[in-house]
Amino acid sequence: MKTYRIATIPGDGIGKEVVHAGQQVLEALAAASSALRFEFENFGWGGDWYRKHGEMMPADGLDALRDKHAILFGSAGDPDIPDHITLWGLRLKICQGFDQYANVRPTRILPGIDAPLKRCRAQDLDWVIVRENSEGEYSGVGGRVHQGHPIEAATDVSMMTRAGVERIMRFAFKLAQSRPRKLLTVITKSNAQRHAMVMWDEIALQISKEFPDVTWGKELVDAATARMVNKPATLDTLVATNLHADILSDLAAALAGSLGIAPTGNIDPERRYPSMFEPIHGSAFDIMGKGLANPVGTFWSVVMLLEHLGEIEAAARLMAAIEEVTANPALHTADLGGSATTAEVTAAVCNRLKAG
C-alpha cells in the first residue's frame, strides 16, 4: 500500500469548504482501494492567521510543507486585507519558494455543462494552458517612491530570464508532444513589448527544434482571445507568460462553463519540492458559508494531484465520477444554473467512487 502525505491549506473564503470536500474525495478513493492511503496535515494559514499573527503564513512555513508529497490549496483573498498581501504572503510565497514554475490549467467542456459558445462542440474546446509561474510580470520586481506626493512614481518590472523561458518552453513542448494533436500555440506580444517578448519568441523557435513532431505557431495575446471564442478547435496546448496566461485561463474557464469547475496545478517538474493543486475560482466571500461553492474545480485539481503522483488509475476513476455527476443537471451548483449544494455534489462523487 502506498501512503501519500498531503498538506491541505484551505486559505480563505470558500477555500475552507472546497478543500474539505477535496479531502473527502481522496478519503473515498482510499476507502475503495487496497493500494492507496493518504495522511493529511491541515495548515490554517490565510486571512484569519494574518489577523492573529500579522503574516499570511509563518516565516518558516515552507519547512513544514517540504516533506509532503503534494499540497491541496483552497484560495487566498480576504475583503479586509489588501490583495497584494494575501497573494504574495501565501500562494506566491509557496509557488516561488518551491520553484513551482509551471502552472498547468486544463480546460474542456464537461458532460452536462451548458457552455456559452453555442456553436462549439465539446470536442472543439479541449485545451491545456501552460503558464510561466515564477517570473515575468509577476516577478515582484519594482517599487514606489514619493508616495502621496504629486511626483509619486511606481514600477512593476516584467523580468524574463533565458533560463526561465527555456524551461517553460521545453515543458510546454513536451506536454504538447504527449497530447494526441501535438499542437502548441505560443502566446506573445512581441509587436509592442520589443525586448523580453522578442526573446520569448526567439527561445520558442530555439526549443521547437528539439521537438520536430510538434506543430507550433505564435499568436498575439489580444488575437488569442478572439481565436479562443471564434475558432476554439484550432487550439490545443498554449504557453504564455505569467500575466497573459492568468487572463487567458480565466477566459478559457468561462468558455467551458464556469470558473467553478476549473483546476490548476503549480508544478515543480523536477520534483525537488511538493507541487500544489488548487481550483482557480478564488475566495468568493459573497457565497462563503452558504453551501453554494462548486467543488468540481477542486475535484479536478485532485485528479491532477493524483496524476502527478503517478496514480493514473485512481485519477481516471475520479475524473469518471466527476463527469457522471456533471452530466446530471440536478447536481449542478448555482454557478452552473442549478441549485445543488457543495455537500450534495461532494456526496454524489464520493458515492460513485465507493460504488467502484
Side-chain angles (χ1 to χ4, degrees):
M1 176 181 290
K2 296 180 181 178
T3 300
Y4 295 105
R5 298 181 301 277
I6 308 298
T8 55
I9 307 176
D12 304 316
I14 62 171
K16 300 175 183 179
E17 300 164 52
V18 296
V19 165
H20 176 65
Q23 181 172 333
Q24 288 179 275
V25 161
L26 281 169
E27 289 170 341
L29 265 174
S33 170
S34 60
L36 277 179
R37 184 168 174 263
F38 300 99
E39 293 178 351
F40 299 95
E41 184 173 358
N42 187 66
F43 296 89
W45 304 333
D48 293 338
W49 184 274
Y50 181 87
R51 277 181 277 273
K52 292 180 181 177
H53 304 281
E55 55 188 359
M56 291 293 290
M57 64 180 285
D60 61 353
L62 292 179
D63 292 334
L65 302 173
R66 206 174 297 272
D67 70 336
K68 302 297 186 284
H69 290 100
I71 303 164
L72 183 61
F73 186 81
S75 60
D78 187 298
D80 299 323
I81 305 170
D83 287 342
H84 67 279
I85 292 176
T86 59
L87 185 64
W88 281 95
L90 184 55
R91 183 184 174 278
L92 290 183
K93 185 172 181 178
I94 296 170
C95 289
Q96 292 196 345
F98 285 153
D99 199 20
Q100 298 166 345
Y101 66 82
N103 179 278
V104 181
R105 297 191 172 189
T107 304
R108 59 186 174 89
I109 301 174
L110 296 179
I113 303 297
D114 183 22
L117 294 180
K118 300 308 178 187
R119 293 178 295 172
C120 176
R121 301 171 300 170
Q123 63 265 35
D124 292 339
L125 200 165
D126 185 356
W127 307 328
V128 178
I129 297 177
V130 176
R131 170 184 175 186
E132 199 294 311
N133 208 35
S134 65
E135 50 182 38
E137 303 89 348
Y138 297 172
S139 63
V141 177
R144 293 176 66 181
V145 295
H146 308 301
Q147 292 187 42
H149 296 279
I151 58 170
E152 181 173 356
T155 61
D156 275 297
V157 180
S158 176
M159 294 291 294
M160 292 190 195
T161 65
R162 172 165 287 276
V165 178
E166 282 186 357
R167 67 183 186 176
I168 199 62
M169 285 294 175
R170 190 167 284 113
F171 179 91
F173 270 95
K174 284 182 180 178
L175 181 58
Q177 187 181 53
S178 72
R179 286 169 60 81
R181 297 176 66 188
K182 299 186 189 312
L183 175 65
L184 178 67
T185 302
V186 176
I187 304 300
T188 185
K189 192 58 182 171
S190 51
N191 60 339
Q193 294 175 281
R194 59 195 178 114
H195 302 297
M197 291 306 306
V198 170
M199 184 182 78
W200 171 273
D201 290 353
E202 291 171 354
I203 293 174
L205 176 60
Q206 168 198 323
I207 299 300
S208 73
K209 296 175 182 178
E210 300 175 19
F211 301 88
D213 57 335
V214 174
T215 301
W216 77 286
K218 294 188 299 181
E219 187 73 86
L220 295 175
V221 63
D222 43 338
T225 61
R227 185 170 163 187
M228 290 167 73
V229 174
N230 295 324
K231 297 181 179 180
T234 67
L235 298 167
D236 186 85
T237 307
L238 299 86
V239 61
T241 68
N242 218 327
L243 174 62
H244 293 166
D246 190 6
I247 296 168
L248 292 180
S249 57
D250 275 17
L251 171 60
L255 294 177
S258 170
L259 265 65
I261 62 175
T264 190
N266 302 286
I267 309 295
D268 166 29
E270 285 72 44
R271 298 175 183 267
R272 301 157 295 173
Y273 310 104
S275 294
M276 182 165 68
F277 303 85
E278 58 177 320
I280 74 169
H281 52 55
S283 54
F285 261 74
D286 56 325
I287 61 170
M288 177 185 176
K290 298 179 180 179
L292 300 177
N294 191 339
V296 168
T298 301
F299 298 160
W300 197 348
S301 298
V302 171
V303 171
M304 298 181 71
L305 182 155
L306 291 165
E307 290 172 339
H308 184 71
L309 295 178
E311 297 295 341
I312 306 303
E313 182 180 347
R317 285 184 57 221
L318 176 52
M319 197 70 223
I322 292 169
E323 291 181 342
E324 284 186 40
V325 167
T326 62
N328 182 357
L331 291 171
H332 287 183
T333 46
D335 58 305
L336 296 173
S339 58
T341 65
T342 310
E344 288 169 344
V345 176
T346 303
V349 172
C350 290
N351 288 338
R352 280 161 175 76
L353 291 172
K354 293 172 184 176

